[in-house]
Amino acid sequence: MPDAVKVGFVPFSTAPRGILVVFCDDTLKFGAATGKALGAAADQVRRAAATNRFKGKSGSTLDILAPEGIKASRLIVVGIGKRSAVKGNDFLKFGGTAAGKLHAGKDAVTIIAELPNGAMKPAQAAAVASGLRLRAYKFDRYKTRKKDGEDAALHADVSLAVADVAAARKAFSSSAHIVDGVIIARELVNEPPNVLYPVEFARRAGELRKLGVDVEILDVKAMTKLGMGALLGVAQGSTRPGRTVVMRWNGGKKGEQPVAFIGKGVCFDTGGISIKPSGSMEDMKGDMGGAACVVGLMHALAARKAKVNAVGAIGLVENMPDGNAQRPGDIVTSMSGQTIEIINTDAEGRLVLADVPLVCGQEVQAEIHGRSGHTDRRDHGGARHRICRNVLQQ
């Protein structure tokens, strides 16, 4: 998995190197460790702030080249605004703001994880590190040349100076897996459709097995046997066959009802016979974003050894207008036995999502009642599905 920045944690006493990033509030006040690191450069910050009308507002920055009195090539001051108004999610933003000011290259970066009223808590420092990684992400794998003025990818070695190195590392080790899951989802969405089609998407989802996720891939024969006519009707217009992928993570108690996640995975959507206008059709490679999110989520749960049972199911198809494509006026039969008349073939998402939840429903029932007996997937159209917002906190 590509990662633009390498993040580590060091004590406050470590001498800054390369680019120095610090935080101040709306009164331009720094913490004790930051003030010690800045030394005489603190006066330069105040003069530069007055010249640039920098007020320390949340997310604002002040960039000083070759600051006086410290061994740093650049000094970046990130404003946090009023201390009383700082919220938990702001630290993710602060990390992203810092990363946005770093230029392409392989510079060393030191970030002093301190607020004016004291050191950041371990979880807050970890959030800054996560924000750095998320903002530094760039997808340019297929570019052979850069446009004039276009920044190359950032590759930085970042040290976060903290009060408690062990606690910060522990906090980041957990959140880092969530960032990994986000980056996996981004990678899937950004891949071109001639590279990421249903079979290849399913193969990549299968890599979750390395983390202990049970992955089942249903091909056309298996889906036909299950009666998944709604999904297969969408897929039949493409030379690339559809797939359904079911992922199971069993980190909770045995027999405990799992959380279910469903993702639409239309790897490319032309609209089918009811074809879309050509303008911006290239963006329809992203119509599999829901499926990408489910794969990223399952990665995060497994990598963190989350104490939860979870089932993720994704339907993967291409919606194409060839001679075998379904037509307006066709009638298909979904896995539940419900017939559906096709009025507009560009309404493919609801057809995919008519069948996939039933597959997931069987998995939910199987996890609860065990897998010793045969389960008819059609019997569970009313299976309970729920989304747990706090699942990543398990």
Side-chain angles (χ1 to χ4, degrees):
M1 182 193 309
D3 210 343
V5 295
K6 178 182 178 183
V7 179
F9 297 90
V10 297
F12 280 143
S13 58
T14 303
R17 59 195 182 99
I19 299 171
L20 178 61
V21 180
V22 298
F23 301 92
C24 75
D25 62 11
D26 60 342
T27 66
L28 303 187
K29 184 177 180 181
F30 298 104
T34 303
K36 184 177 180 180
L38 289 176
D43 290 331
Q44 186 182 5
V45 170
R46 282 185 277 273
R47 294 196 305 272
T51 300
N52 290 276
R53 298 181 180 180
F54 174 74
K55 304 293 185 181
K57 292 182 179 179
S58 181
S60 63
T61 59
L62 178 66
D63 195 347
I64 301 174
L65 299 178
E68 300 172 358
I70 57 174
K71 294 180 179 180
S73 58
R74 289 171 64 200
L75 172 60
I76 300 172
V77 183
V78 178
I80 66 166
K82 293 184 181 295
R83 278 176 275 172
S84 60
V86 175
K87 298 180 174 59
N89 287 338
D90 289 337
F91 293 92
L92 194 71
K93 182 184 74 174
F94 296 153
T97 299
K101 296 297 294 183
L102 301 177
H103 301 314
K106 297 183 179 180
D107 295 319
V109 180
T110 300
I111 298 177
I112 301 180
E114 183 185 44
L115 301 177
N117 57 342
M120 292 184 189
K121 297 176 182 179
Q124 294 169 341
V128 171
S130 295
L132 277 163
R133 288 187 60 204
L134 290 170
R135 177 65 182 271
Y137 171 82
K138 188 179 182 70
F139 188 85
D140 58 3
R141 179 175 305 140
Y142 301 104
K143 287 190 175 182
T144 54
R145 66 177 65 181
K146 309 294 182 187
K147 296 178 182 178
D148 291 340
E150 182 180 4
D151 289 337
L154 171 68
H155 295 281
D157 185 359
V158 181
S159 298
L160 267 79
V162 296
D164 188 334
V165 173
R169 285 175 178 165
K170 183 178 180 181
F172 184 58
S173 67
S174 179
S175 61
H177 295 308
I178 299 176
V179 175
D180 289 342
V182 173
I183 291 176
I184 285 173
R186 288 177 175 180
E187 288 285 292
L188 291 170
V189 170
N190 284 326
E191 286 284 12
N194 62 318
V195 172
L196 192 75
Y197 43 90
V199 172
E200 171 61 15
F201 197 133
R203 185 195 68 78
R204 296 195 189 190
E207 293 178 355
L208 292 175
R209 296 186 181 105
K210 298 175 184 177
L211 296 176
V213 178
D214 182 12
V215 181
E216 180 184 5
I217 300 174
L218 304 178
D219 60 14
V220 172
K221 182 178 179 180
M223 290 188 287
T224 300
K225 185 176 181 180
L226 292 170
M228 299 175 67
L231 184 150
L232 289 169
V234 176
Q236 73 187 43
S238 174
T239 57
R240 300 183 186 275
R243 292 288 186 270
T244 293
V245 182
V246 181
M247 299 155 281
R248 293 179 289 270
W249 168 249
N250 296 315
K253 296 179 181 179
K254 186 176 181 179
E256 186 176 57
Q257 180 171 325
V259 182
F261 299 92
I262 312 295
K264 183 181 84 170
V266 182
C267 296
F268 194 76
D269 181 19
T270 66
I273 297 296
S274 306
I275 197 165
K276 296 177 181 290
S278 60
S280 300
M281 190 187 284
E282 68 277 9
D283 293 335
M284 298 315 297
K285 73 184 184 69
D287 210 17
M288 32 59 69
C293 288
V294 173
V295 172
L297 170 65
M298 297 301 291
H299 174 97
L301 292 177
R304 297 177 76 248
K305 306 297 181 186
K307 299 183 185 301
V308 64
N309 294 332
V311 176
I314 56 177
L316 306 172
V317 298
E318 287 185 337
N319 188 20
M320 303 292 283
D322 91 341
N324 195 47
Q326 67 181 0
R327 298 154 292 263
D330 284 2
I331 294 177
V332 297
T333 303
S334 69
M335 190 172 165
S336 68
Q338 180 73 39
T339 55
I340 303 168
E341 182 180 12
I342 309 303
I343 304 300
N344 187 318
T345 63
D346 197 21
E348 84 297 330
R350 66 200 71 183
L351 295 176
V352 172
L353 296 177
D355 281 340
V356 176
L358 301 186
V359 178
C360 192
Q362 185 213 345
E363 298 304 323
V364 170
Q365 295 294 325
E367 293 298 331
I368 297 172
H369 302 299
R371 297 178 176 274
S372 57
H374 172 73
T375 306
D376 185 347
R377 295 179 189 258
R378 298 190 188 201
D379 289 343
H380 300 295
R384 289 170 291 174
H385 307 293
R386 58 192 175 94
I387 295 179
C388 180
R389 295 180 180 176
N390 298 320
V391 66
L392 288 174
Q393 299 177 1
Q394 298 296 319

